[in-house]
Amino acid sequence: MVFTSKEYLVFFLLCATGYFLLRWRFRWILILLASYAFYAAGEAQHLVLLMAVSLATYFAGLLLDRMRDGPARATVLTVAIVALLAPLFIYKYLGFVLQSAQGFVVDGGQPASLGFSLLLPLGISFFTFQALGYLIDIYRHDCGAERHPGILALYIAFFPQLIAGPIERARGLLPQFRRHARLEPDTLVSGGRLILWGAFKKLVIADNLSPYVDTVYAAPTAHTGLTLLIATVFFAFQIYCDFSAYVDIGRGCARILGINLMRNFDRPYGARSIAEFWRRWHISLTSWFRDYVYVSLGGNRRGLAVKSRNVAIVFLLSGLWHGANWTFVVWGGLHGLALIVLLWTAELRTRVICASSLDRLPLLHDILCVGATFGFVCFAWIFFRATSLDDAFYVATHLFTGIAQQMADGRAVAALIADSGGSPDGFLALMLAIAALLASQILTDDAIRRWLDRRARWQRWGVDYALALGLLFLAGNSDAFIYFRF
């Protein structure tokens, strides 16, 4: 059930109506049943897996909470982690491992075929990591075990964030399921605006960018220069609008129900460094790897060399988390390498900035940093989007081939529009939508809210009307969200 579908709209309206008609102590039952129905609508065959993960997490949490610190408690945590990771490995990575190994297995003088493929359960990477974080928090005494099996199951399966996050922490989300929430006008308006903004980003921007990106990346060797560059930059905006749209719609729905989910994106393309980019992009995943992997490896405590090693491990794992393909490993490795280079060159960069007087021109310095960071992020996205390493390397090495001539005659862009089934007017409207997105990113959310609060009512609502009209007239063909299979 896709968030932007009519079926989901009816589902949520019925769910929210029943939620506020019920007494608060029974609401968890409705939301848990609704969450299971939501998941079953997409993949009923994997609902048992979701329930099994919830049960295993519940009993493991109780056991860890009752045990004293020592080797036995560490063993229980290890067994629980392996048990929770086993389905994720089998569904997501076993085929990748076998495919990677088949070149080393010889059968009659030829590489053996070790093909293996299973349909990846929706959201398995998200609800598995949420369950793991809960158990590790109990082990570290950062939270106690949840005694109510239904509330714990709801924590694992809460439908607004089940499929694509954010990956919530137990101490932040669990207490909210016991809160006596009322239907407040302010939360209804703010939640509705999040849903509207998310739908606009998905349907007007991401879905209209998709044909251009798909046309080029389906056959990258048929393109050079400008069209490769346009498709790569378009993908940067497509994946941001697609992923953040899902989170915004989910957060908006949860907010209407009185549940606050964490913010997962904070204007990432305004970051001035790769480190800052990862503090703004997929915040829940970045903080998860920081708290449960990076810190466990030693974090910053053992010198620059060990810190660099830990960064490399975290980002290689992050790449694998995103997909069982070597392209994702390279994507994660590129980001890790960039962070390591920045660590080792910190003093040198400071001296260069001072010698060039950029420290006296902070605005110019920020613009250069944002541009360089965005350029690197777009380059790395090539490996995320390409279907193979060969395609990725082709795009990376032909981004600027003949670009000056292509920009002069304009035929490359016209051909791309025609091949993608678009029109010049539609292309222009898409550029204006992206410009509106960038304008909204320049201002912080607090600044926008303060500005709107000072306007007349018709002006405050004018933005919402404009977004609604954009949805009505500019919405593209709704595609499944990119992160549905992660």
Side-chain angles (χ1 to χ4, degrees):
M1 195 183 303
V2 181
F3 272 1
T4 52
S5 66
K6 295 177 182 177
E7 292 79 8
Y8 177 78
L9 177 61
V10 174
F11 165 83
F12 180 71
L13 289 175
L14 291 174
C15 182
T17 302
Y19 182 81
F20 288 108
L21 288 176
L22 280 173
R23 293 184 178 181
W24 70 270
R25 63 177 177 272
F26 300 121
R27 290 176 177 175
W28 70 268
I29 301 174
L30 172 65
I31 299 301
L32 180 59
L33 292 175
S35 297
Y36 285 153
F38 173 81
Y39 194 81
E43 276 179 10
Q45 70 269 33
H46 291 136
L47 181 60
V48 173
L49 173 63
L50 178 62
M51 293 178 174
V53 167
S54 300
L55 283 174
T57 304
Y58 174 73
F59 288 112
L62 291 179
L63 185 57
L64 285 170
D65 202 37
R66 293 172 181 170
M67 297 179 71
R68 295 181 177 179
D69 290 334
R73 192 165 184 262
T75 300
V76 169
L77 177 66
T78 302
V79 171
I81 290 174
V82 171
L84 289 175
L85 286 176
L88 181 62
F89 175 79
I90 292 171
Y91 279 102
K92 191 169 184 176
Y93 300 108
L94 182 56
F96 169 66
V97 171
L98 293 176
Q99 184 181 17
S100 300
Q102 72 180 12
F104 300 97
V105 180
V106 178
D107 181 15
Q110 297 294 326
S113 176
L114 301 176
F116 181 85
S117 178
L118 289 173
L119 179 64
L120 186 66
L122 291 173
I124 186 172
S125 298
F126 288 93
F127 64 72
T128 298
F129 270 37
Q130 191 151 307
L132 290 173
Y134 166 75
L135 293 179
I136 296 171
D137 282 347
I138 295 174
Y139 180 80
R140 293 176 174 176
H141 303 289
D142 290 335
C143 74
E146 173 56 54
R147 307 295 177 185
H148 194 305
I151 297 295
L152 193 279
L154 182 55
Y155 164 75
I156 300 293
F158 187 46
F159 72 87
Q161 48 95 218
L162 170 62
I163 304 298
I167 303 170
E168 288 287 338
R169 305 300 175 86
R171 56 186 177 273
L173 186 57
L174 277 171
Q176 297 190 66
F177 292 134
R178 290 190 167 86
R179 187 180 299 166
H180 187 185
R182 300 179 182 274
L183 182 59
E184 303 287 350
D186 288 345
T187 58
L188 183 61
V189 171
S190 63
R193 281 178 172 157
L194 270 175
I195 294 170
L196 181 61
W197 180 230
F200 181 86
K201 286 192 291 185
K202 168 61 176 171
L203 296 173
V204 176
I205 302 180
D207 286 350
N208 280 314
L209 287 171
S210 178
Y212 297 101
V213 176
D214 293 346
T215 296
V216 173
Y217 274 88
T221 55
H223 300 268
T224 58
L226 189 58
T227 52
L228 292 176
L229 187 61
I230 289 173
T232 299
V233 174
F234 274 12
F235 178 69
F237 286 104
Q238 180 197 358
I239 192 170
Y240 167 68
C241 289
D242 191 284
F243 193 10
S244 65
Y246 187 98
V247 175
D248 283 349
I249 296 172
R251 289 178 66 222
C253 293
R255 185 174 294 181
I256 290 172
L257 299 176
I259 305 293
N260 290 315
L261 299 179
M262 70 181 294
R263 187 176 183 177
N264 216 14
F265 295 90
D266 182 14
R267 297 163 290 128
Y269 293 148
R272 292 165 295 181
S273 68
I274 298 302
E276 185 180 348
F277 172 79
W278 280 102
R279 290 194 295 269
R280 294 170 173 237
W281 176 274
H282 207 338
I283 298 168
S284 63
L285 180 67
T286 303
S287 61
W288 196 97
F289 273 110
R290 179 196 65 209
D291 295 342
Y292 301 123
V293 179
Y294 184 74
V295 171
S296 299
L297 291 170
N300 305 333
R301 297 191 299 270
R302 301 178 186 174
L304 195 56
V306 175
K307 182 179 179 179
S308 299
R309 180 207 67 184
N310 296 343
V311 167
I313 292 172
V314 164
F315 276 90
L316 289 172
L317 289 175
S318 176
L320 270 177
W321 181 90
H322 282 83
N325 194 313
W326 286 110
T327 54
F328 293 107
V329 177
V330 173
W331 172 77
L334 284 172
H335 278 275
L337 179 61
L339 281 170
I340 292 169
V341 169
L342 291 178
L343 286 174
W344 285 89
T345 61
E347 293 183 7
L348 175 62
R349 286 183 290 109
T350 301
R351 290 199 295 269
V352 170
I353 291 169
C354 293
S356 61
S357 299
L358 279 174
D359 56 329
R360 301 177 185 178
L361 301 167
L363 179 59
L364 176 60
H365 181 225
D366 286 348
I367 291 173
L368 292 175
C369 288
V370 170
T373 302
F374 180 70
F376 174 82
V377 170
C378 286
F379 178 81
W381 281 134
I382 293 171
F383 293 87
F384 192 100
R385 178 58 180 84
T387 56
S388 69
L389 285 177
D390 288 341
D391 284 353
F393 285 126
Y394 175 85
V395 174
T397 55
H398 290 78
L399 273 178
F400 300 101
T401 302
I403 195 169
Q405 179 63 33
Q406 291 172 331
M407 292 179 69
D409 62 33
R411 286 182 293 181
V413 176
L416 177 61
I417 293 173
D419 293 342
S420 304
S423 67
D425 291 342
F427 189 83
L428 178 59
L430 182 55
M431 295 301 99
L432 292 175
I434 293 175
L437 172 71
L438 292 175
S440 73
Q441 302 289 288
I442 294 173
L443 300 172
T444 64
D445 288 348
D446 289 339
I448 294 173
R449 186 163 56 249
R450 287 195 299 268
W451 181 83
L452 286 174
D453 288 342
R454 295 194 298 268
R455 304 299 102 186
R457 179 177 295 180
W458 71 269
Q459 292 174 312
R460 293 200 304 270
W461 286 89
V463 175
D464 302 319
Y465 293 144
L467 293 176
L469 287 173
L471 283 171
L472 185 62
F473 293 107
L474 301 176
N477 295 323
S478 184
D479 297 325
F481 286 87
I482 293 174
Y483 271 71
F484 255 36
R485 291 289 175 189
F486 282 79

